[in-house]
Short mmCIF file of all heavy atoms in Angstrom, two decimals:
data_model
loop_
_atom_site.label_atom_id
_atom_site.label_comp_id
_atom_site.label_asym_id
_atom_site.label_seq_id
_atom_site.Cartn_x
_atom_site.Cartn_y
_atom_site.Cartn_z
N HIS A 1 62.42 24.54 81.88
CA HIS A 1 61.54 25.36 81.05
C HIS A 1 62.17 26.70 80.68
O HIS A 1 61.92 27.22 79.59
CB HIS A 1 60.21 25.62 81.77
CG HIS A 1 59.37 24.38 81.91
ND1 HIS A 1 58.20 24.37 82.60
CD2 HIS A 1 59.53 23.12 81.45
CE1 HIS A 1 57.67 23.16 82.56
NE2 HIS A 1 58.47 22.39 81.87
N LEU A 2 63.00 27.24 81.56
CA LEU A 2 63.65 28.53 81.30
C LEU A 2 64.86 28.39 80.39
O LEU A 2 65.45 29.39 79.99
CB LEU A 2 64.06 29.19 82.61
CG LEU A 2 62.91 29.56 83.56
CD1 LEU A 2 63.45 30.06 84.88
CD2 LEU A 2 61.98 30.57 82.91
N GLY A 3 65.25 27.17 80.08
CA GLY A 3 66.40 26.95 79.22
C GLY A 3 67.73 27.07 79.95
O GLY A 3 68.78 27.19 79.31
N LEU A 4 67.70 27.04 81.28
CA LEU A 4 68.94 27.09 82.04
C LEU A 4 69.70 25.77 81.93
O LEU A 4 70.88 25.69 82.26
CB LEU A 4 68.67 27.43 83.51
CG LEU A 4 67.95 28.76 83.75
CD1 LEU A 4 67.71 28.98 85.23
CD2 LEU A 4 68.73 29.92 83.14
N CYS A 5 68.99 24.74 81.48
CA CYS A 5 69.59 23.42 81.21
C CYS A 5 68.69 22.72 80.20
O CYS A 5 67.60 23.19 79.89
CB CYS A 5 69.73 22.61 82.49
SG CYS A 5 68.14 22.19 83.27
N GLU A 6 69.15 21.61 79.70
CA GLU A 6 68.36 20.81 78.76
C GLU A 6 67.20 20.13 79.48
O GLU A 6 67.31 19.85 80.69
CB GLU A 6 69.24 19.75 78.09
CG GLU A 6 70.33 20.32 77.21
CD GLU A 6 69.78 21.09 76.03
OE1 GLU A 6 68.78 20.64 75.42
OE2 GLU A 6 70.33 22.16 75.72
N PRO A 7 66.12 19.83 78.78
CA PRO A 7 65.02 19.08 79.40
C PRO A 7 65.54 17.78 80.02
O PRO A 7 66.36 17.08 79.43
CB PRO A 7 64.06 18.81 78.23
CG PRO A 7 64.34 19.93 77.27
CD PRO A 7 65.82 20.18 77.38
N GLY A 8 65.07 17.51 81.22
CA GLY A 8 65.49 16.30 81.93
C GLY A 8 66.76 16.47 82.75
O GLY A 8 67.15 15.55 83.45
N GLN A 9 67.39 17.65 82.69
CA GLN A 9 68.65 17.87 83.39
C GLN A 9 68.54 18.80 84.61
O GLN A 9 69.54 19.11 85.23
CB GLN A 9 69.69 18.44 82.42
CG GLN A 9 70.05 17.50 81.30
CD GLN A 9 70.67 16.22 81.85
OE1 GLN A 9 71.64 16.25 82.58
NE2 GLN A 9 70.06 15.09 81.49
N GLY A 10 67.33 19.22 84.96
CA GLY A 10 67.15 20.13 86.09
C GLY A 10 67.62 19.54 87.41
O GLY A 10 68.26 20.23 88.21
N GLY A 11 67.32 18.28 87.64
CA GLY A 11 67.78 17.62 88.87
C GLY A 11 69.29 17.54 88.91
O GLY A 11 69.92 17.81 89.95
N TRP A 12 69.89 17.16 87.79
CA TRP A 12 71.35 17.07 87.71
C TRP A 12 71.97 18.43 87.96
O TRP A 12 72.98 18.55 88.66
CB TRP A 12 71.77 16.54 86.33
CG TRP A 12 73.24 16.51 86.13
CD1 TRP A 12 74.09 15.49 86.47
CD2 TRP A 12 74.06 17.54 85.56
NE1 TRP A 12 75.39 15.83 86.15
CE2 TRP A 12 75.39 17.10 85.59
CE3 TRP A 12 73.78 18.80 85.04
CZ2 TRP A 12 76.45 17.86 85.11
CZ3 TRP A 12 74.84 19.57 84.57
CH2 TRP A 12 76.14 19.09 84.61
N LEU A 13 71.39 19.50 87.38
CA LEU A 13 71.91 20.85 87.53
C LEU A 13 71.98 21.22 89.02
O LEU A 13 73.01 21.73 89.49
CB LEU A 13 71.01 21.84 86.78
CG LEU A 13 71.54 23.25 86.56
CD1 LEU A 13 72.67 23.26 85.55
CD2 LEU A 13 70.40 24.15 86.08
N ALA A 14 70.91 20.94 89.76
CA ALA A 14 70.89 21.23 91.19
C ALA A 14 71.84 20.32 91.95
O ALA A 14 72.60 20.77 92.81
CB ALA A 14 69.47 21.09 91.72
N GLU A 15 71.81 19.04 91.64
CA GLU A 15 72.65 18.06 92.35
C GLU A 15 74.14 18.40 92.22
O GLU A 15 74.91 18.22 93.17
CB GLU A 15 72.38 16.66 91.79
CG GLU A 15 73.13 15.56 92.49
CD GLU A 15 72.80 14.22 91.90
OE1 GLU A 15 73.01 14.04 90.68
OE2 GLU A 15 72.33 13.36 92.66
N GLN A 16 74.53 18.90 91.08
CA GLN A 16 75.94 19.25 90.84
C GLN A 16 76.32 20.60 91.45
O GLN A 16 77.48 21.02 91.34
CB GLN A 16 76.24 19.25 89.34
CG GLN A 16 76.06 17.91 88.68
CD GLN A 16 76.98 16.85 89.29
OE1 GLN A 16 78.18 17.05 89.40
NE2 GLN A 16 76.40 15.74 89.70
N GLY A 17 75.37 21.30 92.05
CA GLY A 17 75.65 22.58 92.69
C GLY A 17 75.64 23.77 91.76
O GLY A 17 75.96 24.89 92.17
N HIS A 18 75.21 23.57 90.52
CA HIS A 18 75.21 24.68 89.56
C HIS A 18 74.18 25.75 89.87
O HIS A 18 74.33 26.90 89.47
CB HIS A 18 75.01 24.15 88.13
CG HIS A 18 76.11 23.28 87.66
ND1 HIS A 18 77.41 23.72 87.54
CD2 HIS A 18 76.12 21.98 87.29
CE1 HIS A 18 78.17 22.73 87.11
NE2 HIS A 18 77.41 21.66 86.95
N THR A 19 73.10 25.38 90.60
CA THR A 19 72.07 26.37 90.94
C THR A 19 72.31 27.00 92.31
O THR A 19 71.58 27.90 92.70
CB THR A 19 70.67 25.72 90.92
OG1 THR A 19 70.63 24.66 91.89
CG2 THR A 19 70.32 25.20 89.54
N ALA A 20 73.34 26.55 93.01
CA ALA A 20 73.65 27.08 94.34
C ALA A 20 74.39 28.41 94.22
O ALA A 20 74.93 28.75 93.16
CB ALA A 20 74.51 26.08 95.11
N LEU A 21 74.42 29.15 95.30
CA LEU A 21 75.21 30.37 95.36
C LEU A 21 76.66 30.00 95.06
O LEU A 21 77.21 29.07 95.65
CB LEU A 21 75.09 31.01 96.74
CG LEU A 21 75.68 32.41 96.91
CD1 LEU A 21 74.99 33.39 95.96
CD2 LEU A 21 75.52 32.87 98.34
N GLY A 22 77.25 30.68 94.10
CA GLY A 22 78.60 30.34 93.66
C GLY A 22 78.63 29.40 92.47
O GLY A 22 79.67 29.21 91.85
N GLY A 23 77.47 28.81 92.13
CA GLY A 23 77.37 27.93 90.97
C GLY A 23 77.26 28.75 89.69
O GLY A 23 77.14 29.97 89.72
N ARG A 24 77.26 28.06 88.57
CA ARG A 24 77.23 28.77 87.30
C ARG A 24 75.84 29.29 86.94
O ARG A 24 75.70 30.15 86.07
CB ARG A 24 77.79 27.91 86.17
CG ARG A 24 77.01 26.67 85.83
CD ARG A 24 77.69 25.87 84.70
NE ARG A 24 76.97 24.65 84.42
CZ ARG A 24 76.00 24.55 83.54
NH1 ARG A 24 75.62 25.59 82.83
NH2 ARG A 24 75.39 23.39 83.35
N ARG A 25 74.79 28.80 87.57
CA ARG A 25 73.41 29.22 87.32
C ARG A 25 72.68 29.41 88.65
O ARG A 25 71.74 28.68 88.95
CB ARG A 25 72.66 28.16 86.51
CG ARG A 25 73.23 27.88 85.16
CD ARG A 25 72.53 28.74 84.19
NE ARG A 25 72.96 28.39 82.85
CZ ARG A 25 73.01 29.27 81.89
NH1 ARG A 25 72.66 30.50 82.11
NH2 ARG A 25 73.39 28.92 80.69
N PRO A 26 73.05 30.38 89.48
CA PRO A 26 72.39 30.52 90.78
C PRO A 26 70.87 30.73 90.65
O PRO A 26 70.42 31.59 89.90
CB PRO A 26 73.05 31.76 91.39
CG PRO A 26 74.32 31.94 90.64
CD PRO A 26 74.09 31.39 89.27
N VAL A 27 70.13 29.90 91.35
CA VAL A 27 68.67 29.96 91.34
C VAL A 27 68.19 30.04 92.79
O VAL A 27 68.63 29.26 93.63
CB VAL A 27 68.07 28.72 90.64
CG1 VAL A 27 66.55 28.72 90.74
CG2 VAL A 27 68.52 28.65 89.19
N ASN A 28 67.31 30.98 93.04
CA ASN A 28 66.73 31.18 94.36
C ASN A 28 67.77 31.38 95.46
O ASN A 28 67.74 30.69 96.49
CB ASN A 28 65.77 30.04 94.72
CG ASN A 28 64.52 30.05 93.89
OD1 ASN A 28 64.24 31.01 93.17
ND2 ASN A 28 63.76 28.99 93.97
N PRO A 29 68.69 32.33 95.30
CA PRO A 29 69.64 32.57 96.37
C PRO A 29 68.95 33.06 97.65
O PRO A 29 69.51 32.95 98.74
CB PRO A 29 70.58 33.64 95.81
CG PRO A 29 69.84 34.29 94.70
CD PRO A 29 68.92 33.23 94.15
N SER A 30 67.71 33.52 97.52
CA SER A 30 66.93 33.95 98.69
C SER A 30 66.51 32.75 99.53
O SER A 30 66.06 32.93 100.66
CB SER A 30 65.68 34.69 98.23
OG SER A 30 64.78 33.78 97.59
N GLY A 31 66.63 31.57 98.99
CA GLY A 31 66.13 30.37 99.66
C GLY A 31 64.84 29.89 99.03
O GLY A 31 64.37 28.79 99.29
N GLY A 32 64.23 30.72 98.21
CA GLY A 32 62.99 30.33 97.54
C GLY A 32 61.82 30.28 98.49
O GLY A 32 61.92 30.56 99.68
N LEU A 33 60.68 29.90 97.95
CA LEU A 33 59.45 29.85 98.73
C LEU A 33 59.48 28.80 99.82
O LEU A 33 58.90 28.99 100.89
CB LEU A 33 58.26 29.60 97.80
CG LEU A 33 58.05 30.64 96.69
CD1 LEU A 33 56.89 30.24 95.82
CD2 LEU A 33 57.87 32.02 97.28
N GLU A 34 60.17 27.70 99.56
CA GLU A 34 60.24 26.65 100.59
C GLU A 34 60.99 27.13 101.82
O GLU A 34 60.75 26.66 102.92
CB GLU A 34 60.88 25.40 100.03
CG GLU A 34 60.00 24.69 99.04
CD GLU A 34 60.57 23.38 98.62
OE1 GLU A 34 60.38 22.39 99.36
OE2 GLU A 34 61.24 23.35 97.57
N SER A 35 61.88 28.07 101.64
CA SER A 35 62.67 28.61 102.74
C SER A 35 61.93 29.67 103.54
O SER A 35 62.02 29.72 104.75
CB SER A 35 63.97 29.20 102.19
OG SER A 35 64.63 29.97 103.14
#
C-alpha cells in the first residue's frame, strides 16, 4: 500500500530480506508491534 513494492510483492520483499535491517527497504527495525 505504501508503494515500497508492487501489489502482490510484499511477501517476496520480506522473504528476500529487503525489509530487514541492512536491506534496501528497512521496515520495522524496532521489531514492530509483534516484537
Side-chain angles (χ1 to χ4, degrees):
H1 292 175
L2 297 173
L4 302 179
C5 64
E6 294 297 319
Q9 296 299 305
W12 176 88
L13 193 71
E15 183 179 58
Q16 297 300 308
H18 296 299
T19 61
L21 189 60
R24 65 181 177 90
R25 299 267 186 211
V27 175
N28 291 349
S30 69
L33 301 177
E34 289 187 83
S35 167

